[in-house]
mmCIF file of all heavy atoms in Angstrom:
data_model
loop_
_atom_site.group_PDB
_atom_site.id
_atom_site.type_symbol
_atom_site.label_atom_id
_atom_site.label_comp_id
_atom_site.label_asym_id
_atom_site.label_seq_id
_atom_site.Cartn_x
_atom_site.Cartn_y
_atom_site.Cartn_z
ATOM 1 N N TYR A 749 21.865 134.323 246.943
ATOM 2 C CA TYR A 749 20.472 134.424 246.495
ATOM 3 C C TYR A 749 20.127 133.210 245.641
ATOM 4 O O TYR A 749 20.983 132.703 244.909
ATOM 5 C CB TYR A 749 20.256 135.665 245.628
ATOM 6 C CG TYR A 749 20.376 136.981 246.337
ATOM 7 C CD1 TYR A 749 20.673 138.127 245.610
ATOM 8 C CD2 TYR A 749 20.181 137.100 247.717
ATOM 9 C CE1 TYR A 749 20.776 139.366 246.233
ATOM 10 C CE2 TYR A 749 20.283 138.327 248.331
ATOM 11 C CZ TYR A 749 20.588 139.452 247.597
ATOM 12 O OH TYR A 749 20.685 140.669 248.215
ATOM 13 N N PHE A 995 34.081 168.621 262.190
ATOM 14 C CA PHE A 995 32.677 168.255 262.394
ATOM 15 C C PHE A 995 32.374 167.978 263.877
ATOM 16 O O PHE A 995 31.294 167.545 264.228
ATOM 17 C CB PHE A 995 32.359 167.028 261.539
ATOM 18 C CG PHE A 995 30.881 166.749 261.388
ATOM 19 C CD1 PHE A 995 30.023 167.697 260.848
ATOM 20 C CD2 PHE A 995 30.342 165.528 261.775
ATOM 21 C CE1 PHE A 995 28.662 167.439 260.695
ATOM 22 C CE2 PHE A 995 28.980 165.259 261.632
ATOM 23 C CZ PHE A 995 28.146 166.223 261.094
ATOM 24 N N ILE A 1018 26.333 168.281 266.489
ATOM 25 C CA ILE A 1018 25.175 169.170 266.574
ATOM 26 C C ILE A 1018 25.620 170.610 266.392
ATOM 27 O O ILE A 1018 25.018 171.383 265.657
ATOM 28 C CB ILE A 1018 24.489 169.011 267.943
ATOM 29 C CG1 ILE A 1018 24.016 167.566 268.106
ATOM 30 C CG2 ILE A 1018 23.345 169.985 268.094
ATOM 31 C CD1 ILE A 1018 23.686 167.181 269.514
ATOM 32 N N LYS A 1033 27.810 152.856 255.478
ATOM 33 C CA LYS A 1033 27.009 151.900 256.241
ATOM 34 C C LYS A 1033 27.157 152.106 257.748
ATOM 35 O O LYS A 1033 26.191 152.059 258.484
ATOM 36 C CB LYS A 1033 27.421 150.468 255.888
ATOM 37 C CG LYS A 1033 26.326 149.727 255.153
ATOM 38 C CD LYS A 1033 26.800 148.394 254.616
ATOM 39 C CE LYS A 1033 26.816 147.303 255.633
ATOM 40 N NZ LYS A 1033 27.346 146.041 255.099
ATOM 41 N N GLU A 1034 28.387 152.326 258.183
ATOM 42 C CA GLU A 1034 28.615 152.470 259.624
ATOM 43 C C GLU A 1034 28.293 153.866 260.123
ATOM 44 O O GLU A 1034 27.803 154.030 261.224
ATOM 45 C CB GLU A 1034 30.060 152.137 259.986
ATOM 46 C CG GLU A 1034 30.380 150.661 260.003
ATOM 47 C CD GLU A 1034 30.529 150.091 258.610
ATOM 48 O OE1 GLU A 1034 30.909 150.862 257.698
ATOM 49 O OE2 GLU A 1034 30.242 148.901 258.399
ATOM 50 N N GLN A 1035 28.640 154.881 259.316
ATOM 51 C CA GLN A 1035 28.567 156.235 259.852
ATOM 52 C C GLN A 1035 27.476 157.096 259.250
ATOM 53 O O GLN A 1035 27.153 158.141 259.776
ATOM 54 C CB GLN A 1035 29.913 156.937 259.610
ATOM 55 C CG GLN A 1035 31.067 156.154 260.167
ATOM 56 C CD GLN A 1035 32.391 156.699 259.686
ATOM 57 O OE1 GLN A 1035 32.560 157.011 258.501
ATOM 58 N NE2 GLN A 1035 33.328 156.835 260.601
ATOM 59 N N LEU A 1037 24.280 155.861 257.443
ATOM 60 C CA LEU A 1037 22.907 155.442 257.189
ATOM 61 C C LEU A 1037 22.268 154.715 258.358
ATOM 62 O O LEU A 1037 22.936 154.031 259.116
ATOM 63 C CB LEU A 1037 22.865 154.505 255.980
ATOM 64 C CG LEU A 1037 23.234 155.117 254.635
ATOM 65 C CD1 LEU A 1037 23.435 154.032 253.607
ATOM 66 C CD2 LEU A 1037 22.164 156.092 254.190
ATOM 67 N N GLY A 1040 17.925 150.210 258.578
ATOM 68 C CA GLY A 1040 16.569 149.670 258.686
ATOM 69 C C GLY A 1040 15.488 150.695 258.358
ATOM 70 O O GLY A 1040 14.320 150.360 258.279
ATOM 71 N N MET A 1041 15.893 151.944 258.194
ATOM 72 C CA MET A 1041 14.899 152.990 257.940
ATOM 73 C C MET A 1041 14.698 153.196 256.451
ATOM 74 O O MET A 1041 15.556 152.852 255.657
ATOM 75 C CB MET A 1041 15.401 154.298 258.546
ATOM 76 C CG MET A 1041 14.658 154.682 259.768
ATOM 77 S SD MET A 1041 15.207 156.285 260.320
ATOM 78 C CE MET A 1041 14.383 156.299 261.876
ATOM 79 N N VAL A 1052 14.658 166.633 260.730
ATOM 80 C CA VAL A 1052 13.282 166.259 261.046
ATOM 81 C C VAL A 1052 12.758 167.036 262.262
ATOM 82 O O VAL A 1052 11.578 167.302 262.379
ATOM 83 C CB VAL A 1052 13.180 164.723 261.227
ATOM 84 C CG1 VAL A 1052 13.836 164.269 262.492
ATOM 85 C CG2 VAL A 1052 11.745 164.264 261.168
ATOM 86 N N ASP A 1053 13.686 167.457 263.120
ATOM 87 C CA ASP A 1053 13.330 168.298 264.264
ATOM 88 C C ASP A 1053 12.506 169.520 263.870
ATOM 89 O O ASP A 1053 11.650 169.965 264.609
ATOM 90 C CB ASP A 1053 14.614 168.840 264.915
ATOM 91 C CG ASP A 1053 15.190 167.846 265.873
ATOM 92 O OD1 ASP A 1053 14.686 166.713 265.902
ATOM 93 O OD2 ASP A 1053 16.153 168.200 266.576
ATOM 94 N N VAL A 1061 5.395 164.705 262.967
ATOM 95 C CA VAL A 1061 6.261 164.963 261.827
ATOM 96 C C VAL A 1061 5.390 165.236 260.597
ATOM 97 O O VAL A 1061 4.400 164.543 260.374
ATOM 98 C CB VAL A 1061 7.147 163.728 261.557
ATOM 99 C CG1 VAL A 1061 7.976 163.945 260.302
ATOM 100 C CG2 VAL A 1061 8.045 163.455 262.744
ATOM 101 N N GLU A 1066 8.223 166.062 254.155
ATOM 102 C CA GLU A 1066 9.345 165.129 254.048
ATOM 103 C C GLU A 1066 9.401 164.485 252.670
ATOM 104 O O GLU A 1066 10.451 164.362 252.068
ATOM 105 C CB GLU A 1066 9.189 164.008 255.082
ATOM 106 C CG GLU A 1066 9.611 164.380 256.456
ATOM 107 C CD GLU A 1066 9.697 163.131 257.305
ATOM 108 O OE1 GLU A 1066 8.640 162.563 257.634
ATOM 109 O OE2 GLU A 1066 10.816 162.708 257.590
ATOM 110 N N ARG A 1085 9.516 154.454 250.494
ATOM 111 C CA ARG A 1085 9.292 153.539 251.611
ATOM 112 C C ARG A 1085 10.314 152.413 251.667
ATOM 113 O O ARG A 1085 10.401 151.689 252.638
ATOM 114 C CB ARG A 1085 7.904 152.924 251.516
ATOM 115 C CG ARG A 1085 6.788 153.907 251.672
ATOM 116 C CD ARG A 1085 5.460 153.185 251.666
ATOM 117 N NE ARG A 1085 4.364 154.131 251.802
ATOM 118 C CZ ARG A 1085 3.854 154.806 250.798
ATOM 119 N NH1 ARG A 1085 4.333 154.626 249.582
ATOM 120 N NH2 ARG A 1085 2.872 155.655 250.986
ATOM 121 N N SER A 1087 13.478 150.326 252.302
ATOM 122 C CA SER A 1087 14.497 150.532 253.329
ATOM 123 C C SER A 1087 15.853 150.684 252.659
ATOM 124 O O SER A 1087 16.160 150.022 251.672
ATOM 125 C CB SER A 1087 14.481 149.397 254.347
ATOM 126 O OG SER A 1087 15.209 148.311 253.861
ATOM 127 N N TRP A 1104 22.741 165.523 253.334
ATOM 128 C CA TRP A 1104 23.453 166.735 253.732
ATOM 129 C C TRP A 1104 23.176 167.897 252.804
ATOM 130 O O TRP A 1104 23.146 169.055 253.242
ATOM 131 C CB TRP A 1104 24.946 166.460 253.863
ATOM 132 C CG TRP A 1104 25.182 165.575 255.044
ATOM 133 C CD1 TRP A 1104 25.673 164.310 255.030
ATOM 134 C CD2 TRP A 1104 24.868 165.864 256.411
ATOM 135 N NE1 TRP A 1104 25.689 163.793 256.301
ATOM 136 C CE2 TRP A 1104 25.202 164.728 257.172
ATOM 137 C CE3 TRP A 1104 24.331 166.977 257.063
ATOM 138 C CZ2 TRP A 1104 25.011 164.672 258.545
ATOM 139 C CZ3 TRP A 1104 24.143 166.923 258.433
ATOM 140 C CH2 TRP A 1104 24.487 165.783 259.160
ATOM 141 N N THR B 509 8.613 149.729 255.598
ATOM 142 C CA THR B 509 8.788 149.547 254.160
ATOM 143 C C THR B 509 7.451 149.176 253.533
ATOM 144 O O THR B 509 6.454 148.978 254.204
ATOM 145 C CB THR B 509 9.801 148.432 253.879
ATOM 146 O OG1 THR B 509 9.494 147.352 254.734
ATOM 147 C CG2 THR B 509 11.202 148.891 254.147
ATOM 148 N N ARG B 702 4.774 158.816 264.822
ATOM 149 C CA ARG B 702 4.480 160.089 264.189
ATOM 150 C C ARG B 702 5.329 161.256 264.664
ATOM 151 O O ARG B 702 5.296 162.314 264.043
ATOM 152 C CB ARG B 702 2.994 160.428 264.410
ATOM 153 C CG ARG B 702 2.021 159.341 263.951
ATOM 154 C CD ARG B 702 1.859 159.350 262.449
ATOM 155 N NE ARG B 702 1.350 160.634 261.983
ATOM 156 C CZ ARG B 702 0.085 161.013 262.048
ATOM 157 N NH1 ARG B 702 -0.816 160.212 262.546
ATOM 158 N NH2 ARG B 702 -0.289 162.191 261.598
ATOM 159 N N VAL B 704 8.922 163.317 266.115
ATOM 160 C CA VAL B 704 10.371 163.386 265.932
ATOM 161 C C VAL B 704 11.073 162.498 266.953
ATOM 162 O O VAL B 704 12.014 161.770 266.627
ATOM 163 C CB VAL B 704 10.847 164.841 266.092
ATOM 164 C CG1 VAL B 704 12.365 164.900 266.120
ATOM 165 C CG2 VAL B 704 10.299 165.696 264.961
ATOM 166 N N ARG B 707 10.919 158.910 265.838
ATOM 167 C CA ARG B 707 11.784 158.706 264.679
ATOM 168 C C ARG B 707 13.238 158.582 265.137
ATOM 169 O O ARG B 707 13.971 157.689 264.747
ATOM 170 C CB ARG B 707 11.608 159.904 263.744
ATOM 171 C CG ARG B 707 12.481 159.888 262.516
ATOM 172 C CD ARG B 707 11.953 158.956 261.461
ATOM 173 N NE ARG B 707 10.629 159.311 260.972
ATOM 174 C CZ ARG B 707 10.387 160.248 260.057
ATOM 175 N NH1 ARG B 707 11.376 160.953 259.548
ATOM 176 N NH2 ARG B 707 9.160 160.486 259.657
ATOM 177 N N ASP B 714 18.988 151.759 265.837
ATOM 178 C CA ASP B 714 19.470 151.063 264.647
ATOM 179 C C ASP B 714 20.960 151.303 264.423
ATOM 180 O O ASP B 714 21.734 150.371 264.245
ATOM 181 C CB ASP B 714 18.653 151.543 263.430
ATOM 182 C CG ASP B 714 18.949 150.744 262.176
ATOM 183 O OD1 ASP B 714 20.137 150.432 261.926
ATOM 184 O OD2 ASP B 714 18.010 150.421 261.442
ATOM 185 N N ASN B 715 21.370 152.567 264.417
ATOM 186 C CA ASN B 715 22.776 152.882 264.173
ATOM 187 C C ASN B 715 23.128 154.150 264.933
ATOM 188 O O ASN B 715 22.905 155.262 264.473
ATOM 189 C CB ASN B 715 23.025 153.078 262.677
ATOM 190 C CG ASN B 715 24.495 153.273 262.360
ATOM 191 O OD1 ASN B 715 25.303 153.543 263.243
ATOM 192 N ND2 ASN B 715 24.841 153.141 261.101
ATOM 193 N N GLU B 717 25.974 155.491 265.771
ATOM 194 C CA GLU B 717 27.010 156.371 265.234
ATOM 195 C C GLU B 717 26.438 157.286 264.153
ATOM 196 O O GLU B 717 26.692 158.497 264.140
ATOM 197 C CB GLU B 717 28.158 155.521 264.666
ATOM 198 C CG GLU B 717 29.355 156.362 264.294
ATOM 199 C CD GLU B 717 30.521 155.526 263.778
ATOM 200 O OE1 GLU B 717 30.407 154.287 263.754
ATOM 201 O OE2 GLU B 717 31.524 156.135 263.390
ATOM 202 N N ALA B 718 25.649 156.690 263.260
ATOM 203 C CA ALA B 718 25.058 157.505 262.196
ATOM 204 C C ALA B 718 24.098 158.531 262.780
ATOM 205 O O ALA B 718 23.980 159.645 262.279
ATOM 206 C CB ALA B 718 24.336 156.615 261.186
ATOM 207 N N VAL B 720 24.382 160.009 265.726
ATOM 208 C CA VAL B 720 25.211 161.086 266.263
ATOM 209 C C VAL B 720 25.679 161.983 265.128
ATOM 210 O O VAL B 720 25.620 163.211 265.211
ATOM 211 C CB VAL B 720 26.425 160.503 267.022
ATOM 212 C CG1 VAL B 720 27.419 161.608 267.364
ATOM 213 C CG2 VAL B 720 25.966 159.797 268.283
ATOM 214 N N ASN B 721 26.117 161.368 264.042
ATOM 215 C CA ASN B 721 26.597 162.143 262.899
ATOM 216 C C ASN B 721 25.513 162.995 262.266
ATOM 217 O O ASN B 721 25.805 163.957 261.573
ATOM 218 C CB ASN B 721 27.183 161.220 261.824
ATOM 219 C CG ASN B 721 28.542 160.700 262.220
ATOM 220 O OD1 ASN B 721 29.201 161.274 263.090
ATOM 221 N ND2 ASN B 721 28.967 159.617 261.609
ATOM 222 N N ALA B 722 24.275 162.598 262.460
ATOM 223 C CA ALA B 722 23.180 163.390 261.893
ATOM 224 C C ALA B 722 22.756 164.491 262.858
ATOM 225 O O ALA B 722 21.782 165.182 262.617
ATOM 226 C CB ALA B 722 21.995 162.496 261.555
ATOM 227 N N GLY B 723 23.489 164.625 263.950
ATOM 228 C CA GLY B 723 23.181 165.701 264.888
ATOM 229 C C GLY B 723 22.058 165.380 265.855
ATOM 230 O O GLY B 723 21.461 166.279 266.429
ATOM 231 N N ARG B 725 20.608 164.275 269.327
ATOM 232 C CA ARG B 725 21.082 164.252 270.716
ATOM 233 C C ARG B 725 20.691 162.929 271.351
ATOM 234 O O ARG B 725 19.584 162.778 271.870
ATOM 235 C CB ARG B 725 20.471 165.402 271.497
ATOM 236 C CG ARG B 725 20.962 166.748 271.044
ATOM 237 C CD ARG B 725 20.134 167.865 271.665
ATOM 238 N NE ARG B 725 20.173 169.046 270.817
ATOM 239 C CZ ARG B 725 21.113 169.982 270.910
ATOM 240 N NH1 ARG B 725 22.055 169.888 271.799
ATOM 241 N NH2 ARG B 725 21.095 171.009 270.084
ATOM 242 N N GLU B 837 17.977 138.817 252.806
ATOM 243 C CA GLU B 837 18.140 139.748 251.711
ATOM 244 C C GLU B 837 18.336 141.164 252.215
ATOM 245 O O GLU B 837 18.871 141.996 251.530
ATOM 246 C CB GLU B 837 16.931 139.659 250.773
ATOM 247 C CG GLU B 837 16.943 138.323 250.079
ATOM 248 C CD GLU B 837 15.774 138.099 249.154
ATOM 249 O OE1 GLU B 837 14.858 138.925 249.111
ATOM 250 O OE2 GLU B 837 15.785 137.076 248.482
ATOM 251 N N VAL B 840 22.417 141.877 253.777
ATOM 252 C CA VAL B 840 23.638 141.855 252.953
ATOM 253 C C VAL B 840 24.171 143.246 252.673
ATOM 254 O O VAL B 840 23.445 144.188 252.654
ATOM 255 C CB VAL B 840 23.417 141.143 251.609
ATOM 256 C CG1 VAL B 840 23.291 139.672 251.827
ATOM 257 C CG2 VAL B 840 22.218 141.699 250.891
#
Side-chain angles (χ1 to χ4, degrees):
Chain A
Y749 292 157
F995 194 58
I1018 299 164
K1033 247 171 81 183
E1034 284 76 28
Q1035 305 168 316
L1037 294 168
M1041 253 185 190
V1052 71
D1053 276 8
V1061 176
E1066 280 192 289
R1085 295 184 181 83
S1087 83
W1104 291 115
Chain B
T509 45
R702 305 283 300 281
V704 171
R707 177 78 61 81
D714 188 319
N715 186 345
E717 189 178 358
V720 170
N721 285 341
R725 292 169 206 272
E837 292 178 354
V840 288

